[in-house]
Amino acid sequence: MTSDAGTHAGHLPERAPPASAQRAPATGERRRRRLLRWSALLGLTALGVVVAVAGTFAHGRMAHVDTVPIPYGLVLALLGLAAVLLLAHESARSRLGVVPVATAWLFAVWLLAQERPAGDVVISNGWPGLTYLYAGVVLIGVGIALPQR
């Protein structure tokens, strides 16, 4: 049996790692990126609570053009939620990144939707309130269904 100069009997010759492995960032760089992504996700989860509170109080704002009500508060509240969900999806680079933000938003809205001891409600049973709740849940579903990167 003859062997090549670089191999020992019974061993396969060593191969160079693939080009994709050569371009991979160092372990410290990967760890730093992962920490940065999770820190951003934590901040976006807190921002989800802020968007929920602001949206809950703003969704009923209307501007009237002649006799037609324009629900600008509802539009702004839903755009804020969509923006935070998209940022969370991009930050985490997966569908699971949306889950903590969505959970924070749902929990804050649920708390604010409860009737207060004095009988006050923040989210009324009218069309702006129901649209805010249902459209928010639909946006969360769309955010979770976005394809992974």
Side-chain angles (χ1 to χ4, degrees):
M1 229 185 204
T2 61
S3 65
D4 294 330
T7 61
H8 300 287
H11 294 284
L12 295 174
E14 292 186 29
R15 294 187 182 168
S20 61
Q22 292 175 354
R23 284 185 256 135
T27 305
E29 179 68 18
R30 279 192 302 239
R31 190 174 297 141
R32 188 183 68 77
R33 286 182 184 175
R34 189 178 309 135
L35 179 64
L36 187 62
R37 275 199 313 263
W38 286 105
S39 298
L41 192 57
L42 183 65
L44 288 169
T45 301
L47 186 60
V49 173
V50 171
V51 167
V53 171
T56 299
F57 285 103
H59 78 274
R61 303 281 187 237
M62 300 275 185
H64 293 279
V65 177
D66 291 330
T67 58
V68 179
I70 308 293
Y72 72 90
L74 178 64
V75 172
L76 289 175
L78 293 174
L79 283 175
L81 173 62
V84 172
L85 290 172
L86 281 173
L87 285 172
H89 185 270
E90 288 299 314
S91 172
R93 294 188 174 186
S94 74
R95 293 176 177 172
L96 292 178
V98 176
V99 173
V101 175
T103 303
W105 186 87
L106 286 169
F107 186 69
V109 169
W110 175 75
L111 282 177
L112 291 169
Q114 303 300 312
E115 187 174 335
R116 306 285 163 239
D120 298 340
V121 291
V122 179
I123 300 177
S124 66
N125 209 10
W127 72 268
L130 294 176
T131 303
Y132 175 63
L133 292 174
Y134 292 134
V137 171
V138 168
L139 282 175
I140 288 171
V142 169
I144 291 173
L146 286 174
Q148 291 185 1
R149 291 193 61 192

